[in-house]
Amino acid sequence: ESITVQELAEKLKKTAAEVIKKLMQMGIMASINQEVDYDTATIIAGEFGVETELKVAVDKEAILMAEPEDNEANLIIRPPVVTIMGHVDHGKTSLLDAIRETNVTAGEAGGITQHIGAYQVEHNGKKITFVDTPGHAAFTAMRARGAEITDIAILVVAADDGVMPQTIEAINHAKAAEVPIIVAINKVDKPEANPDKVKQELTQHELVVEDWGGDVIAVPVSAKQRTGLDNLLEMILLVAEVNELKADPERMARGTVIEAELDKGRGPVATVLVQNGTLRIGDTIVAGHVLGRVRAMIDDKGRRVKKAGPSTPVEILGLSDVPEAGDTLVAVEDEKLAREVAAKRQIRKREEELKVTNKISLDDLFKYIQEGQIKELPMIVKADVQGSIEALAQALEKLSTDEVKVNIIHSGVGAINERDIMLASASNALVIGFNVRPDMSVRKVAEAEKVSISLYRVIYEVIDDVKKAMSGLLDPEF
Ligand code: GDP
């Protein structure tokens, strides 16, 4: 392991001359491009009063992750990557299925479709990539981890239902990510469909459709009757063209993991959306903390492929472990570097997991209070009716003592959902459910995030438990 004098000087924010001088004092004659080993580098850093051990490690990661320059001459137009968002039951899944089934590329008909988390269709000879995981835990995780893979967001709004809470959430997500939105007004086949009402409601969220003088494209569709789909694809390609999406297929691949699991027969399997460059069989890859060598690739039609270019989703085999959705995948030439970075990340991951287990629950609350580790007890309260929430919030906040302040950071009517868990995880909060429950998938997320959920049917019991937990009197079997 070594570093050039030049690099070392840059890291230490010194001139090369200063570094060379220090080296000379140690009896080492070095020129600016000469390499010195890390031990020497660390001593030099120490001479300057800088701790390098960590810096070197972090920088290796930076080297691995550094985005190479596109070569202008190689640039090609790449297919747009489209995500479908919208309120539950407005037809996201139906629309994804309808588009997929009605747009099997010529020559692919009869091919077995594979659900790998994303698929590609062709329209008028141009490809479009759809991310096929709406509402999945993976999708939420990806967003929570800031992975941006979407070029265009399709906002599905049911014409018989209009703009709903998750519609607004989707709008806000797309806006925050600065992703252009195309509105698909779905279920127009229904007698009670009212597209104008949808358009009107959208204006309240600063989405003014074209026929109302704005610049947002809205397409009426019926996923059920499969109408308007061509028009929707047309509009996607139009928006893509305006945005000039380009990539350099000659580069080493870089992409994002959109799904990953441990397959009984095949070992760790991940679906990767290649975003730039070309991924090839035999490539050494790093995805998050996972090292690998691409052993096989399978496309969304279940075919084995040897390479995958920009905007292509592929399932890959050959990973040493299961990466996480949202992890960036890079193909690298320097296997040693890849190995080192993956190992470093593994250690960091383990450390973080240990930290996660330290999340508070009612059981260990008292311990933390005693140790002075917490001064505030954040809580999320979900209940079946507003009245209960108000009563609970008031009573709980009254439990605040000089040592600990009870703080209801979020409350709401309805089942405990994934967003509650993510919020609880981020703020180390306890989740209390009153006459409401989390479903299986939410429980799983809570488990993974080590978030504690307590469910009650009697207000008195909630208050009693929290009070006991705060004073260390909670029954151990709780
Ligand atoms: P998601 O939760 O957004 O993925 O919604 P789904 O695709 O599961 O659809 C919810 C329900 O609406 C299902 O019962 C679908 O059959 C129905 N649905 C979806 N699209 C249409 C449509 O265009 N017309 C009608 N009439 N029903 C639809």
Side-chain angles (χ1 to χ4, degrees):
E1 299 188 38
S2 56
I3 183 169
T4 69
V5 169
Q6 172 84 33
E7 284 164 352
L8 180 61
E10 277 166 17
K11 280 203 176 74
L12 300 174
K13 303 217 164 31
K14 301 283 168 196
T15 65
E18 284 173 298
V19 172
I20 290 169
K21 200 166 144 205
K22 281 274 188 253
L23 282 166
M24 275 168 64
Q25 285 165 3
M26 288 172 66
I28 300 169
M29 297 303 221
S31 66
I32 186 158
N33 290 320
Q34 199 157 326
E35 300 202 333
V36 293
D37 61 44
Y38 273 151
D39 288 342
T40 310
T42 307
I43 295 169
I44 296 289
E47 292 278 312
F48 285 115
V50 183
E51 289 266 345
T52 61
E53 191 86 43
L54 239 181
K55 281 214 176 86
V56 170
V58 169
D59 285 343
K60 278 200 177 172
E61 201 163 346
I63 294 164
L64 184 94
M65 297 306 287
E67 177 101 35
E69 295 249 329
D70 286 336
N71 184 341
E72 282 290 329
N74 295 337
L75 287 182
I76 54 154
I77 300 285
R78 65 170 176 83
V81 178
V82 180
T83 307
I84 299 200
M85 305 167 97
H87 197 72
V88 63
D89 279 346
H90 279 199
K92 295 180 293 293
T93 315
S94 306
L95 192 60
L96 277 162
D97 290 347
I99 291 169
R100 180 173 188 144
E101 283 160 28
T102 49
N103 289 275
V104 181
T105 316
E108 291 172 357
I112 320 148
T113 55
Q114 283 254 121
H115 278 275
I116 63 168
Y119 66 75
Q120 252 184 1
V121 297
E122 215 172 288
H123 182 74
N124 294 341
K126 289 180 182 142
K127 286 182 173 151
I128 304 172
T129 304
F130 284 90
V131 180
D132 193 6
T133 57
H136 274 198
F139 198 65
T140 314
M142 220 151 65
R143 280 204 304 222
R145 306 185 61 215
E148 296 297 352
I149 56 167
T150 308
D151 299 309
I152 299 167
I154 305 296
L155 181 70
V156 178
V157 189
D160 60 338
D161 202 21
V163 171
M164 298 303 277
Q166 284 164 277
T167 318
I168 299 167
E169 213 177 279
I171 294 172
N172 293 338
H173 270 299
K175 279 191 179 162
E178 293 179 359
V179 172
I181 297 174
I182 296 176
V183 180
I185 303 179
N186 191 29
K187 309 198 187 184
V188 292
D189 58 286
K190 283 195 155 185
E192 61 272 39
N194 190 348
D196 274 334
K197 182 166 158 276
V198 173
K199 291 175 189 174
Q200 195 265 321
E201 288 170 348
L202 285 170
T203 58
Q204 291 165 15
H205 302 280
E206 284 132 55
L207 287 186
V208 185
V209 300
E210 284 178 325
D211 45 343
W212 285 36
D215 57 2
V216 174
I217 298 171
V219 185
V221 297
S222 165
K224 192 175 181 187
Q225 301 196 330
R226 316 220 149 158
T227 56
L229 302 183
D230 277 353
N231 195 9
L232 180 61
L233 298 181
E234 202 70 50
M235 291 304 140
I236 291 170
L237 289 171
L238 189 80
V239 172
E241 213 170 289
V242 173
N243 285 288
E244 288 200 356
L245 309 167
K246 288 181 180 159
D248 175 358
E250 307 300 322
R251 273 174 42 172
M252 301 287 286
R254 165 176 294 253
T256 298
V257 174
I258 53 182
E259 276 190 0
E261 60 167 15
L262 187 62
D263 185 285
K264 263 196 195 140
R266 301 184 296 169
V269 179
T271 297
V272 173
L273 176 73
V274 177
Q275 289 166 289
N276 209 338
T278 298
L279 188 63
R280 294 184 164 83
I281 301 252
D283 279 354
T284 297
I285 48 176
V286 180
H289 70 288
V290 180
L291 183 75
R293 179 183 292 268
V294 181
R295 204 172 68 223
M297 292 195 280
I298 298 130
D299 73 5
D300 55 331
K301 277 98 192 171
R303 300 173 301 202
R304 285 191 167 245
V305 291
K306 290 205 169 67
K307 55 180 189 171
S311 296
T312 311
V314 275
E315 205 174 56
I316 58 171
L317 307 185
L319 295 162
S320 58
D321 191 6
V322 181
E324 287 176 53
D327 278 341
T328 298
L329 173 141
V330 289
V332 285
E333 266 158 23
D334 188 343
E335 191 171 334
K336 194 167 144 240
L337 177 71
R339 199 168 287 281
E340 276 176 46
V341 172
K344 278 263 153 48
R345 286 177 175 173
Q346 250 167 44
I347 293 167
R348 209 185 308 146
K349 185 166 179 278
R350 224 168 293 145
E351 282 168 0
E352 273 163 21
E353 277 165 2
L354 283 178
K355 246 187 258 159
V356 176
T357 30
N358 285 335
K359 279 202 178 124
I360 52 170
S361 69
L362 281 179
D363 299 299
D364 50 22
L365 188 56
F366 183 61
K367 186 180 94 202
Y368 287 114
I369 295 172
Q370 264 192 328
E371 289 169 358
Q373 285 198 37
I374 58 168
K375 300 257 174 280
E376 193 188 73
L377 177 57
M379 285 190 154
I380 292 174
V381 179
K382 297 297 289 275
D384 53 344
V385 289
Q386 188 60 33
S388 307
I389 291 173
E390 278 156 24
L392 271 170
Q394 266 187 13
L396 285 169
E397 280 176 348
K398 266 201 210 129
L399 295 177
S400 296
T401 63
D402 290 343
E403 285 90 45
V404 203
K405 184 175 173 297
V406 176
N407 184 12
I408 314 287
I409 57 167
H410 175 67
S411 64
V413 173
I416 297 165
N417 61 37
E418 219 168 281
R419 288 182 300 281
D420 298 328
I421 304 299
M422 289 325 250
L423 181 62
S425 173
S427 43
N428 201 8
L430 294 175
V431 180
I432 303 275
F434 186 73
N435 282 330
V436 292
R437 326 179 54 83
D439 67 20
M440 242 348 260
S441 68
V442 175
R443 270 180 204 277
K444 281 212 183 107
V445 178
E447 231 165 77
E449 297 288 327
K450 304 273 190 309
V451 168
S452 142
I453 302 176
S454 308
L455 303 173
Y456 295 92
R457 299 204 164 273
V458 186
I459 290 200
Y460 166 77
E461 282 176 7
V462 184
I463 309 305
D464 203 42
D465 269 359
V466 175
K467 201 160 146 188
K468 279 185 181 157
M470 285 173 72
S471 52
L473 297 171
L474 196 68
D475 291 339
E477 81 265 24
F478 174 78

mmCIF file of all heavy atoms in Angstrom, residues 270-304:
data_model
loop_
_atom_site.group_PDB
_atom_site.id
_atom_site.type_symbol
_atom_site.label_atom_id
_atom_site.label_comp_id
_atom_site.label_asym_id
_atom_site.label_seq_id
_atom_site.Cartn_x
_atom_site.Cartn_y
_atom_site.Cartn_z
ATOM 1 N N ALA A 270 -29.040 -9.924 -7.109
ATOM 2 C CA ALA A 270 -29.436 -8.520 -7.045
ATOM 3 C C ALA A 270 -29.891 -8.052 -8.411
ATOM 4 O O ALA A 270 -29.317 -8.439 -9.427
ATOM 5 C CB ALA A 270 -28.268 -7.662 -6.566
ATOM 6 N N THR A 271 -30.946 -7.249 -8.431
ATOM 7 C CA THR A 271 -31.299 -6.583 -9.672
ATOM 8 C C THR A 271 -30.662 -5.215 -9.648
ATOM 9 O O THR A 271 -30.821 -4.457 -8.693
ATOM 10 C CB THR A 271 -32.819 -6.438 -9.834
ATOM 11 O OG1 THR A 271 -33.389 -7.741 -9.909
ATOM 12 C CG2 THR A 271 -33.156 -5.674 -11.100
ATOM 13 N N VAL A 272 -29.927 -4.949 -10.693
ATOM 14 C CA VAL A 272 -29.190 -3.697 -10.773
ATOM 15 C C VAL A 272 -29.677 -2.921 -11.978
ATOM 16 O O VAL A 272 -29.877 -3.493 -13.052
ATOM 17 C CB VAL A 272 -27.679 -3.983 -10.936
ATOM 18 C CG1 VAL A 272 -26.911 -2.698 -11.196
ATOM 19 C CG2 VAL A 272 -27.150 -4.703 -9.721
ATOM 20 N N LEU A 273 -29.900 -1.649 -11.782
ATOM 21 C CA LEU A 273 -30.165 -0.798 -12.921
ATOM 22 C C LEU A 273 -28.839 -0.169 -13.294
ATOM 23 O O LEU A 273 -28.271 0.618 -12.533
ATOM 24 C CB LEU A 273 -31.184 0.288 -12.561
ATOM 25 C CG LEU A 273 -31.438 1.289 -13.683
ATOM 26 C CD1 LEU A 273 -32.250 0.653 -14.799
ATOM 27 C CD2 LEU A 273 -32.131 2.529 -13.163
ATOM 28 N N VAL A 274 -28.324 -0.550 -14.465
ATOM 29 C CA VAL A 274 -27.071 0.053 -14.930
ATOM 30 C C VAL A 274 -27.408 1.477 -15.375
ATOM 31 O O VAL A 274 -28.320 1.676 -16.169
ATOM 32 C CB VAL A 274 -26.465 -0.746 -16.106
ATOM 33 C CG1 VAL A 274 -25.200 -0.068 -16.618
ATOM 34 C CG2 VAL A 274 -26.176 -2.173 -15.670
ATOM 35 N N GLN A 275 -26.729 2.447 -14.818
ATOM 36 C CA GLN A 275 -27.057 3.835 -15.172
ATOM 37 C C GLN A 275 -26.076 4.446 -16.151
ATOM 38 O O GLN A 275 -26.415 5.310 -16.927
ATOM 39 C CB GLN A 275 -27.161 4.672 -13.894
ATOM 40 C CG GLN A 275 -28.413 4.302 -13.109
ATOM 41 C CD GLN A 275 -28.399 4.832 -11.703
ATOM 42 O OE1 GLN A 275 -27.653 4.357 -10.855
ATOM 43 N NE2 GLN A 275 -29.216 5.826 -11.439
ATOM 44 N N ASN A 276 -24.842 3.990 -16.065
ATOM 45 C CA ASN A 276 -23.863 4.462 -17.030
ATOM 46 C C ASN A 276 -22.861 3.339 -17.268
ATOM 47 O O ASN A 276 -22.725 2.443 -16.452
ATOM 48 C CB ASN A 276 -23.170 5.732 -16.515
ATOM 49 C CG ASN A 276 -22.708 6.621 -17.669
ATOM 50 O OD1 ASN A 276 -22.520 6.156 -18.800
ATOM 51 N ND2 ASN A 276 -22.530 7.895 -17.381
ATOM 52 N N GLY A 277 -22.192 3.415 -18.393
ATOM 53 C CA GLY A 277 -21.229 2.371 -18.704
ATOM 54 C C GLY A 277 -21.895 1.069 -19.084
ATOM 55 O O GLY A 277 -23.115 1.022 -19.280
ATOM 56 N N THR A 278 -21.095 0.014 -19.192
ATOM 57 C CA THR A 278 -21.631 -1.302 -19.534
ATOM 58 C C THR A 278 -21.102 -2.322 -18.537
ATOM 59 O O THR A 278 -19.905 -2.369 -18.270
ATOM 60 C CB THR A 278 -21.217 -1.695 -20.977
ATOM 61 O OG1 THR A 278 -21.775 -0.748 -21.885
ATOM 62 C CG2 THR A 278 -21.721 -3.085 -21.333
ATOM 63 N N LEU A 279 -22.029 -3.095 -17.997
ATOM 64 C CA LEU A 279 -21.668 -4.151 -17.053
ATOM 65 C C LEU A 279 -21.480 -5.439 -17.837
ATOM 66 O O LEU A 279 -22.304 -5.775 -18.684
ATOM 67 C CB LEU A 279 -22.765 -4.311 -16.003
ATOM 68 C CG LEU A 279 -22.472 -5.246 -14.822
ATOM 69 C CD1 LEU A 279 -21.297 -4.732 -13.997
ATOM 70 C CD2 LEU A 279 -23.696 -5.390 -13.931
ATOM 71 N N ARG A 280 -20.370 -6.136 -17.572
ATOM 72 C CA ARG A 280 -20.067 -7.349 -18.330
ATOM 73 C C ARG A 280 -19.803 -8.527 -17.404
ATOM 74 O O ARG A 280 -19.363 -8.354 -16.282
ATOM 75 C CB ARG A 280 -18.833 -7.131 -19.200
ATOM 76 C CG ARG A 280 -19.055 -6.116 -20.292
ATOM 77 C CD ARG A 280 -17.817 -6.002 -21.182
ATOM 78 N NE ARG A 280 -18.163 -5.338 -22.423
ATOM 79 C CZ ARG A 280 -18.225 -4.029 -22.558
ATOM 80 N NH1 ARG A 280 -17.947 -3.243 -21.548
ATOM 81 N NH2 ARG A 280 -18.575 -3.478 -23.709
ATOM 82 N N ILE A 281 -20.051 -9.695 -17.953
ATOM 83 C CA ILE A 281 -19.689 -10.914 -17.224
ATOM 84 C C ILE A 281 -18.203 -10.853 -16.907
ATOM 85 O O ILE A 281 -17.404 -10.456 -17.749
ATOM 86 C CB ILE A 281 -19.971 -12.155 -18.100
ATOM 87 C CG1 ILE A 281 -21.432 -12.207 -18.486
ATOM 88 C CG2 ILE A 281 -19.468 -13.434 -17.424
ATOM 89 C CD1 ILE A 281 -22.251 -13.260 -17.833
ATOM 90 N N GLY A 282 -17.863 -11.231 -15.685
ATOM 91 C CA GLY A 282 -16.452 -11.234 -15.295
ATOM 92 C C GLY A 282 -16.018 -9.951 -14.611
ATOM 93 O O GLY A 282 -14.952 -9.910 -14.004
ATOM 94 N N ASP A 283 -16.822 -8.889 -14.698
ATOM 95 C CA ASP A 283 -16.455 -7.622 -14.056
ATOM 96 C C ASP A 283 -16.365 -7.787 -12.538
ATOM 97 O O ASP A 283 -17.204 -8.443 -11.929
ATOM 98 C CB ASP A 283 -17.515 -6.538 -14.342
ATOM 99 C CG ASP A 283 -17.335 -5.907 -15.709
ATOM 100 O OD1 ASP A 283 -16.333 -6.228 -16.384
ATOM 101 O OD2 ASP A 283 -18.196 -5.090 -16.107
ATOM 102 N N THR A 284 -15.365 -7.151 -11.964
ATOM 103 C CA THR A 284 -15.280 -7.074 -10.507
ATOM 104 C C THR A 284 -16.171 -5.912 -10.076
ATOM 105 O O THR A 284 -16.090 -4.827 -10.639
ATOM 106 C CB THR A 284 -13.835 -6.805 -10.056
ATOM 107 O OG1 THR A 284 -13.041 -7.912 -10.462
ATOM 108 C CG2 THR A 284 -13.744 -6.636 -8.549
ATOM 109 N N ILE A 285 -17.032 -6.191 -9.097
ATOM 110 C CA ILE A 285 -17.978 -5.155 -8.694
ATOM 111 C C ILE A 285 -18.012 -4.984 -7.181
ATOM 112 O O ILE A 285 -17.709 -5.911 -6.434
ATOM 113 C CB ILE A 285 -19.423 -5.482 -9.177
ATOM 114 C CG1 ILE A 285 -19.774 -6.937 -8.834
ATOM 115 C CG2 ILE A 285 -19.583 -5.217 -10.655
ATOM 116 C CD1 ILE A 285 -21.198 -7.315 -9.169
ATOM 117 N N VAL A 286 -18.383 -3.778 -6.784
ATOM 118 C CA VAL A 286 -18.650 -3.509 -5.379
ATOM 119 C C VAL A 286 -20.039 -2.880 -5.319
ATOM 120 O O VAL A 286 -20.326 -1.937 -6.053
ATOM 121 C CB VAL A 286 -17.625 -2.531 -4.768
ATOM 122 C CG1 VAL A 286 -17.950 -2.271 -3.301
ATOM 123 C CG2 VAL A 286 -16.218 -3.077 -4.896
ATOM 124 N N ALA A 287 -20.903 -3.435 -4.474
ATOM 125 C CA ALA A 287 -22.228 -2.853 -4.263
ATOM 126 C C ALA A 287 -22.395 -2.691 -2.764
ATOM 127 O O ALA A 287 -22.528 -3.680 -2.044
ATOM 128 C CB ALA A 287 -23.314 -3.762 -4.831
ATOM 129 N N GLY A 288 -22.321 -1.468 -2.297
ATOM 130 C CA GLY A 288 -22.374 -1.241 -0.856
ATOM 131 C C GLY A 288 -21.211 -1.971 -0.196
ATOM 132 O O GLY A 288 -20.059 -1.779 -0.588
ATOM 133 N N HIS A 289 -21.517 -2.854 0.742
ATOM 134 C CA HIS A 289 -20.461 -3.568 1.456
ATOM 135 C C HIS A 289 -20.105 -4.892 0.779
ATOM 136 O O HIS A 289 -19.319 -5.660 1.303
ATOM 137 C CB HIS A 289 -20.914 -3.846 2.901
ATOM 138 C CG HIS A 289 -22.008 -4.870 2.983
ATOM 139 N ND1 HIS A 289 -23.306 -4.608 2.578
ATOM 140 C CD2 HIS A 289 -21.989 -6.159 3.375
ATOM 141 C CE1 HIS A 289 -24.024 -5.700 2.753
ATOM 142 N NE2 HIS A 289 -23.256 -6.654 3.235
ATOM 143 N N VAL A 290 -20.709 -5.130 -0.362
ATOM 144 C CA VAL A 290 -20.573 -6.439 -0.995
ATOM 145 C C VAL A 290 -19.615 -6.415 -2.188
ATOM 146 O O VAL A 290 -19.725 -5.575 -3.071
ATOM 147 C CB VAL A 290 -21.952 -6.959 -1.464
ATOM 148 C CG1 VAL A 290 -21.811 -8.324 -2.118
ATOM 149 C CG2 VAL A 290 -22.923 -7.020 -0.296
ATOM 150 N N LEU A 291 -18.713 -7.385 -2.173
ATOM 151 C CA LEU A 291 -17.774 -7.548 -3.271
ATOM 152 C C LEU A 291 -18.309 -8.640 -4.185
ATOM 153 O O LEU A 291 -19.017 -9.528 -3.730
ATOM 154 C CB LEU A 291 -16.432 -7.971 -2.685
ATOM 155 C CG LEU A 291 -15.268 -8.146 -3.646
ATOM 156 C CD1 LEU A 291 -14.764 -6.781 -4.083
ATOM 157 C CD2 LEU A 291 -14.148 -8.929 -2.971
ATOM 158 N N GLY A 292 -17.966 -8.596 -5.435
ATOM 159 C CA GLY A 292 -18.410 -9.674 -6.305
ATOM 160 C C GLY A 292 -17.721 -9.669 -7.642
ATOM 161 O O GLY A 292 -16.939 -8.779 -7.959
ATOM 162 N N ARG A 293 -18.006 -10.719 -8.373
ATOM 163 C CA ARG A 293 -17.557 -10.797 -9.757
ATOM 164 C C ARG A 293 -18.758 -11.310 -10.535
ATOM 165 O O ARG A 293 -19.334 -12.338 -10.169
ATOM 166 C CB ARG A 293 -16.370 -11.758 -9.879
ATOM 167 C CG ARG A 293 -15.866 -11.908 -11.304
ATOM 168 C CD ARG A 293 -14.750 -12.922 -11.377
ATOM 169 N NE ARG A 293 -13.557 -12.443 -10.701
ATOM 170 C CZ ARG A 293 -12.578 -11.768 -11.318
ATOM 171 N NH1 ARG A 293 -12.658 -11.515 -12.595
ATOM 172 N NH2 ARG A 293 -11.537 -11.358 -10.642
ATOM 173 N N VAL A 294 -19.157 -10.575 -11.543
ATOM 174 C CA VAL A 294 -20.380 -10.935 -12.261
ATOM 175 C C VAL A 294 -20.210 -12.306 -12.909
ATOM 176 O O VAL A 294 -19.370 -12.498 -13.776
ATOM 177 C CB VAL A 294 -20.725 -9.884 -13.340
ATOM 178 C CG1 VAL A 294 -22.021 -10.271 -14.044
ATOM 179 C CG2 VAL A 294 -20.847 -8.507 -12.723
ATOM 180 N N ARG A 295 -21.005 -13.250 -12.418
ATOM 181 C CA ARG A 295 -20.888 -14.613 -12.919
ATOM 182 C C ARG A 295 -21.921 -14.868 -14.014
ATOM 183 O O ARG A 295 -21.669 -15.562 -14.984
ATOM 184 C CB ARG A 295 -21.122 -15.577 -11.752
ATOM 185 C CG ARG A 295 -20.505 -16.934 -11.929
ATOM 186 C CD ARG A 295 -20.639 -17.722 -10.641
ATOM 187 N NE ARG A 295 -22.014 -18.055 -10.369
ATOM 188 C CZ ARG A 295 -22.597 -17.965 -9.175
ATOM 189 N NH1 ARG A 295 -21.918 -17.547 -8.138
ATOM 190 N NH2 ARG A 295 -23.855 -18.292 -9.024
ATOM 191 N N ALA A 296 -23.097 -14.289 -13.822
ATOM 192 C CA ALA A 296 -24.140 -14.434 -14.834
ATOM 193 C C ALA A 296 -25.076 -13.247 -14.736
ATOM 194 O O ALA A 296 -25.208 -12.638 -13.668
ATOM 195 C CB ALA A 296 -24.913 -15.729 -14.623
ATOM 196 N N MET A 297 -25.686 -12.901 -15.858
ATOM 197 C CA MET A 297 -26.677 -11.814 -15.866
ATOM 198 C C MET A 297 -27.921 -12.298 -16.587
ATOM 199 O O MET A 297 -27.832 -12.972 -17.617
ATOM 200 C CB MET A 297 -26.114 -10.579 -16.553
ATOM 201 C CG MET A 297 -24.991 -9.920 -15.783
ATOM 202 S SD MET A 297 -24.657 -8.257 -16.378
ATOM 203 C CE MET A 297 -23.672 -8.634 -17.799
ATOM 204 N N ILE A 298 -29.076 -11.925 -16.015
ATOM 205 C CA ILE A 298 -30.348 -12.334 -16.596
ATOM 206 C C ILE A 298 -31.195 -11.099 -16.799
ATOM 207 O O ILE A 298 -31.318 -10.276 -15.878
ATOM 208 C CB ILE A 298 -31.070 -13.346 -15.674
ATOM 209 C CG1 ILE A 298 -30.200 -14.609 -15.522
ATOM 210 C CG2 ILE A 298 -32.445 -13.712 -16.205
ATOM 211 C CD1 ILE A 298 -29.995 -15.019 -14.121
ATOM 212 N N ASP A 299 -31.742 -10.931 -17.986
ATOM 213 C CA ASP A 299 -32.530 -9.723 -18.232
ATOM 214 C C ASP A 299 -33.995 -9.922 -17.817
ATOM 215 O O ASP A 299 -34.363 -10.975 -17.288
ATOM 216 C CB ASP A 299 -32.379 -9.241 -19.682
ATOM 217 C CG ASP A 299 -33.126 -10.128 -20.673
ATOM 218 O OD1 ASP A 299 -33.835 -11.060 -20.237
ATOM 219 O OD2 ASP A 299 -33.004 -9.882 -21.894
ATOM 220 N N ASP A 300 -34.820 -8.893 -18.056
ATOM 221 C CA ASP A 300 -36.205 -8.929 -17.596
ATOM 222 C C ASP A 300 -37.064 -9.904 -18.389
ATOM 223 O O ASP A 300 -38.218 -10.125 -18.055
ATOM 224 C CB ASP A 300 -36.809 -7.520 -17.648
ATOM 225 C CG ASP A 300 -36.693 -6.902 -19.027
ATOM 226 O OD1 ASP A 300 -35.754 -7.241 -19.763
ATOM 227 O OD2 ASP A 300 -37.552 -6.075 -19.380
ATOM 228 N N LYS A 301 -36.487 -10.465 -19.443
ATOM 229 C CA LYS A 301 -37.233 -11.476 -20.196
ATOM 230 C C LYS A 301 -36.728 -12.871 -19.860
ATOM 231 O O LYS A 301 -37.050 -13.842 -20.533
ATOM 232 C CB LYS A 301 -37.117 -11.219 -21.696
ATOM 233 C CG LYS A 301 -38.104 -10.194 -22.230
ATOM 234 C CD LYS A 301 -37.477 -8.852 -22.353
ATOM 235 C CE LYS A 301 -38.469 -7.742 -22.596
ATOM 236 N NZ LYS A 301 -37.793 -6.430 -22.495
ATOM 237 N N GLY A 302 -35.895 -12.944 -18.838
ATOM 238 C CA GLY A 302 -35.412 -14.245 -18.398
ATOM 239 C C GLY A 302 -34.276 -14.792 -19.238
ATOM 240 O O GLY A 302 -33.934 -15.962 -19.136
ATOM 241 N N ARG A 303 -33.690 -13.928 -20.081
ATOM 242 C CA ARG A 303 -32.602 -14.413 -20.937
ATOM 243 C C ARG A 303 -31.248 -14.130 -20.305
ATOM 244 O O ARG A 303 -31.053 -13.093 -19.684
ATOM 245 C CB ARG A 303 -32.663 -13.704 -22.301
ATOM 246 C CG ARG A 303 -33.948 -13.932 -23.045
ATOM 247 C CD ARG A 303 -34.011 -13.076 -24.285
ATOM 248 N NE ARG A 303 -33.916 -11.647 -23.933
ATOM 249 C CZ ARG A 303 -34.350 -10.679 -24.723
ATOM 250 N NH1 ARG A 303 -34.870 -10.936 -25.893
ATOM 251 N NH2 ARG A 303 -34.242 -9.420 -24.336
ATOM 252 N N ARG A 304 -30.332 -15.031 -20.529
ATOM 253 C CA ARG A 304 -28.967 -14.783 -20.062
ATOM 254 C C ARG A 304 -28.321 -13.791 -21.005
ATOM 255 O O ARG A 304 -28.416 -13.931 -22.215
ATOM 256 C CB ARG A 304 -28.177 -16.082 -20.058
ATOM 257 C CG ARG A 304 -28.599 -16.945 -18.895
ATOM 258 C CD ARG A 304 -27.655 -18.116 -18.701
ATOM 259 N NE ARG A 304 -27.953 -18.687 -17.387
ATOM 260 C CZ ARG A 304 -27.103 -18.682 -16.373
ATOM 261 N NH1 ARG A 304 -25.898 -18.164 -16.503
ATOM 262 N NH2 ARG A 304 -27.439 -19.197 -15.219
#
